[in-house]
């Protein structure tokens, strides 16, 4: 039996989630509702997405060049998905919509399309997806700003002193570590004043708040379906076509080429126009369709209901964690800065020494059915800065809420963590190559893994 739990004010308007009634096993033999507090890593699938994917699958076929009826259906589904994404992000009529695998893929695609001599400006607080793709460009590192005003000052000063030529400013919309919202519009205004373009990593923004890239003044936006309740392997890069149009394809192959011939013993290629130029190979039609359905569903739900639901959960989560002895919430810019429902924290044990964050996460899962994140969250520099380590891979814990989160999930985490820190684990655990695991571990895997 599933336990009853209170609901947030906007919960009756929240779209359904696949697995909302999932039970997971505990080491003591009980089964409890899954408390998934790891939405920031990958969000569960919307039931609307599952339903629409299932409706489409019998019609799935090749796109763009097939003559069969189902190929025509699939082509229309794929191209219609671009319109849904365009509307969802507030793109302009001339902006292109490219389907990719995820945010990382999108930003690497743009990095490959930079004009020669481009200087890239980025902060050190970024996720590795926004931090690392620009290694072939001239990169100006802006460090870790002390606050929003400091970020604006740093960017303004570095752009003013930079050499002429193409410029790209990389902005993260929301920290995947702390949930803090960056001053995107103000940073974009500074960038454009100095003749720079802006790409926005919106992976952690779009599941929680509306995005209007035209109003924000950004030139490109990238995000992933798996964080937007559409875990079918699709992401997008949306924005200005000119740099992308002038660049050779990110991947060379079928679909990206308009004409291939052989002259003097080598292939000559005329590349296709956008968007096909950067979508080589058979596209992920199902993923694009799933992503489009998620965009349409969230837009139809209304952001007021979504933000109200998550704000209540996140406020209770932060307040409750702050009341547990030994827990320290992590943040760059102070407790009153705007945030979404992503909360990172560290824990010290009863002796005042840093607790093993990985072990804590393993115990919460094995004994309480709670899923949270541990580690450095693919943002090593900012975690090291916030934890205070000067070297080595710093570790923290992260709990994140979303449409699938209930108040009971949050209360279960707070109660379990407080009890764990005061009384310790109830089971025996052993550290192996794969990490901490209960010994013995009587939990059974689902049938499809056996």
């Amino acid at each position: 039996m599933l336990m009853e739990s209170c609901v947030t004010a906007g919960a009756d308007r929240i779209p359904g989630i696949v697995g909302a009634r999932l039970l997971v096993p505990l080491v003591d033999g009980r089964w409890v509702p899954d408390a998934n507090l790891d939405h920031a890593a990958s969000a569960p699938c919307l039931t609307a997405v599952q339903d629409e994917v299932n409706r489409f699958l019998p019609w799935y076929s090749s796109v763009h060049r097939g003559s069969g009826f189902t190929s025509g259906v699939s082509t229309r589904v794929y191209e219609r998905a671009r319109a849904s994404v365009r509307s969802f992000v507030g793109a302009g009529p001339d902006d292109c919509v490219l389907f990719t695998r995820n945010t990382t893929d999108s930003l690497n695609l743009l990095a490959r399309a930079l004009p020669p001599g481009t200087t890239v400006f980025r902060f050190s607080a970024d996720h590795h997806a926004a931090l690392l793709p620009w290694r072939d460009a001239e990169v100006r590192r802006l460090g870790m700003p002390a606050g929003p005003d400091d970020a604006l000052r740093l960017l303004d000063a570095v752009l003013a002193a930079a050499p002429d030529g193409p410029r790209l400013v990389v902005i993260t919309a929301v920290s995947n570590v702390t949930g803090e919202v960056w001053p995107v519009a103000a940073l974009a205004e500074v960038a454009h004043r100095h003749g720079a373009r802006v790409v926005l990593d919106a992976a952690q923004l779009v599941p929680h708040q509306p995005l209007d890239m035209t109003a924000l003044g950004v030139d490109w936006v990238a995000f992933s379906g798996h964080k937007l309740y559409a875990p079918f392997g699709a992401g997008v890069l949306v924005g200005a076509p000119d740099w992308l149009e002038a660049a050779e394809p990110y991947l060379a192959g079928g679909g990206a080429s308009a004409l291939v011939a052989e002259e003097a013993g080598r292939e000559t290629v005329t590349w296709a126009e956008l968007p096909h130029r950067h979508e080589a190979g058979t596209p992920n039609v199902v993923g694009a369709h799933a992503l489009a359905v998620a965009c349409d569903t969230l837009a139809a739900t209304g952001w007021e209901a979504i933000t109200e639901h998550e704000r209540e959960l996140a406020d209770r989560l932060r307040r409750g964690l702050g009341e547990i002895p030994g827990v320290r919430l992590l943040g760059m810019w102070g407790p009153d800065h705007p945030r979404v429902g992503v909360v990172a924290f560290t824990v010290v044990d009863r002796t005042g020494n840093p607790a093993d964050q990985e072990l804590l996460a393993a115990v919460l899962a094995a004994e309480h059915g709670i899923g949270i994140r541990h580690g450095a969250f693919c943002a090593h520099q900012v975690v090291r800065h916030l934890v205070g380590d000067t070297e080595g891979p710093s570790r923290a814990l992260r709990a994140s809420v979303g449409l699938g989160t209930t108040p009971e999930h949050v209360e279960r985490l707070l109660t379990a963590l407080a009890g764990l820190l005061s009384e310790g684990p109830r089971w025996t655990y052993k550290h192996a190559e794969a990490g901490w695991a209960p010994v013995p571990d009587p939990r059974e895997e689902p049938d499809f893994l056996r």
Side-chain angles (χ1 to χ4, degrees):
M1 292 289 293
L2 287 177
M3 64 184 71
E4 295 295 329
S5 64
C6 58
V7 296
T8 60
D12 59 332
R13 293 169 286 168
I14 296 301
I17 293 294
V18 177
R21 300 180 65 83
L22 180 69
L23 299 177
V24 294
L26 305 184
V27 288
D28 62 8
R30 292 181 296 139
W31 289 72
V32 298
D34 181 34
N36 177 6
L37 291 169
D38 196 17
H39 281 65
S42 284
C45 183
L46 289 173
T47 53
V49 169
Q50 180 188 47
D51 291 344
E52 290 303 313
V53 165
N54 287 338
R55 287 181 64 198
F56 168 61
L57 282 176
W59 300 90
Y60 168 75
S61 185
S62 62
V63 301
H64 295 140
R65 291 171 296 280
S67 59
F69 187 84
T70 56
S71 181
V73 170
S74 292
T75 298
R76 288 193 293 277
V77 164
Y78 187 65
E79 293 302 328
R80 190 173 62 183
R82 297 192 206 274
S84 294
V85 171
R86 181 186 303 280
S87 174
F88 184 74
V89 302
D94 296 327
D95 288 330
C96 67
V97 177
L98 300 179
F99 287 113
T100 65
R101 292 177 295 176
N102 45 44
T103 309
T104 302
D105 197 32
S106 296
L107 294 173
N108 275 273
L109 191 164
L110 183 61
R112 287 281 298 272
L114 297 181
T118 299
T119 304
V120 174
F121 304 82
R122 61 154 180 78
F123 293 93
S124 298
D126 294 339
H127 186 282
H128 294 168
L131 197 78
L132 298 178
W134 325 102
R135 293 154 68 92
D136 292 335
E138 176 67 28
V139 177
R140 298 297 172 92
R141 296 165 178 81
L142 303 175
M144 209 76 64
D149 291 340
D150 189 40
L152 297 171
R153 181 190 60 78
L154 283 168
L155 181 61
D156 188 42
V158 174
L159 283 169
D164 293 335
R167 302 170 173 192
L168 179 68
V169 176
V170 183
I171 301 176
T172 294
V174 170
S175 169
N176 77 302
V177 177
T178 66
E180 289 164 302
V181 181
W182 282 65
V184 176
L187 288 166
E189 190 279 326
V190 171
H192 288 156
R193 186 168 7 107
H194 290 281
R197 297 192 181 193
V198 175
V199 59
L200 182 68
D201 174 358
Q204 294 293 345
L205 175 70
V206 290
H208 305 285
Q209 295 182 4
L211 168 63
D212 187 333
M213 62 180 291
T214 302
L216 290 174
V218 300
D219 300 276
W220 294 278
V221 62
F223 63 91
S224 298
H226 74 95
K227 295 188 190 297
L228 195 68
Y229 308 97
F232 288 83
V236 291
L237 176 68
V238 185
D242 55 346
W243 285 8
L244 298 164
E245 222 163 31
E248 292 217 343
Y250 174 49
L251 296 174
S257 53
L259 178 65
V260 179
E262 184 176 321
E263 294 180 6
R266 59 171 295 176
E267 284 76 29
T268 61
V269 185
T270 301
W271 299 115
E273 301 297 323
L274 291 177
H276 313 297
R277 187 184 192 89
H278 293 293
E279 292 181 350
T282 299
N284 180 3
V285 183
V286 174
H289 180 51
L291 180 54
V293 173
C295 290
D296 293 342
T297 302
L298 295 183
T301 299
W303 285 104
E304 182 180 356
I306 295 170
T307 55
E308 183 181 13
H309 168 76
E310 293 186 359
R311 182 171 56 249
E312 293 181 23
L313 294 167
D315 287 350
R316 173 57 185 144
L317 177 60
R318 291 191 184 92
R319 185 173 65 255
L321 287 171
E323 294 170 351
I324 299 175
V327 172
R328 180 170 75 91
L329 299 178
L330 301 180
M332 296 183 293
W333 297 340
D336 296 328
H337 187 79
R339 288 170 164 81
V340 301
V342 179
V343 186
F345 57 99
T346 56
V347 178
V348 296
D349 61 24
R350 285 167 289 183
T351 66
N353 294 315
D356 190 316
Q357 318 294 321
E358 182 184 352
L359 175 59
L360 290 175
V363 175
L364 289 170
E367 299 183 17
H368 302 279
I370 299 168
I372 63 172
R373 204 73 166 176
H374 68 85
F377 323 123
C378 296
H380 293 179
Q381 295 189 61
V382 67
V383 172
R384 187 179 301 124
H385 170 77
L386 295 173
V387 172
D389 290 350
T390 57
E391 57 185 36
S394 300
R395 293 188 176 275
L397 296 168
R398 184 185 71 188
S400 49
V401 304
L403 300 182
T405 309
T406 70
E408 190 277 327
H409 296 162
V410 174
E411 296 301 330
R412 198 193 319 173
L413 171 63
L414 298 175
T415 301
L417 184 60
L420 177 57
L421 294 180
S422 63
E423 302 171 11
R426 301 171 185 171
W427 207 261
T428 302
Y429 294 82
K430 181 178 180 180
H431 193 272
E433 185 177 351
W436 287 101
V439 179
D441 189 350
R443 295 173 297 173
E444 293 184 357
E445 294 181 328
D447 292 344
F448 61 83
L449 287 178
R450 295 177 196 166

